[in-house]
Amino acid sequence: MSKGKILVVDDDRLVLATLSYGLTQAGFEVIDADNGDDAILLAREHRPELALLDIRMEGLTGFDVAAYLREFLQTPFMFLSAFTDEATVAKVKELGAVAYLVKPLDISQIVPAVEAAFARSTTPAAPAPAVPAFESPSELPSLEVTALAVGVLMHRYSLPRDEALARLMSLAAADSHSLPEQARRIVDAVELLARPGQR
């Protein structure tokens, strides 16, 4: 018996395949799409109970899909994104996402969040397990800060995840910091650079 029907949307085919496989193995019925237009068509046809959406996609964004799901289908949704800037987080809150997960994350971290979201939507009166959402980087658990820093290094140096993690570890060793400390320094630096210029 399926744990529930979930729509998964990501324009990265590898990420999409990984998520779809992992969630299917965890007992969910998965409908997947690699763009926003298909996502809306599939949502209208299959009426999923939850959607897991990437934010930045060509054409319709995850925000566009979320707005449609909320307005026309009343489908709860959660975001999976590498972006944690203030504008993105504000938009996530405004749309009413049940969770905001920061890439890169392993499927083993995503499944519990999805299960918690299903529990929250099917039994609103019951306390649902905690789902990672809306923390500033300074409040993120060590594991998430490390994952976020690895994502920054992957993007900045065009590295695969294992090499980005190795680079983070060598930076930590060189500066005599723990891995989470070094990760937090990188994330804090990115946040500082992302601030609007002071007049």
Side-chain angles (χ1 to χ4, degrees), residues 84-87 136-138 184-185 187-199:
T84 57
D85 56 279
E86 284 184 18
S136 70
S138 61
R184 201 173 296 281
R185 292 177 74 203
V187 172
D188 287 344
V190 171
E191 277 234 308
L192 184 64
L193 293 171
R195 283 184 193 165
Q198 303 295 320
R199 289 180 181 273

Side-chain angles (χ1 to χ4, degrees), residues 151-193:
V152 168
L153 293 173
M154 286 169 68
H155 179 73
R156 174 70 177 80
Y157 297 106
S158 301
L159 295 172
R161 183 175 302 174
D162 55 345
E163 288 183 26
L165 178 59
R167 179 171 292 212
L168 179 61
M169 292 169 73
S170 67
L171 285 170
D175 293 345
S176 301
H177 289 298
S178 70
L179 198 61
E181 284 174 341
Q182 190 70 29
R184 201 173 296 281
R185 292 177 74 203
I186 290 173
V187 172
D188 287 344
V190 171
E191 277 234 308
L192 184 64
L193 293 171

Side-chain angles (χ1 to χ4, degrees), residues 38 91-92 96 104 144 158:
D38 285 352
K91 185 68 174 174
V92 167
E144 288 186 47
S158 301

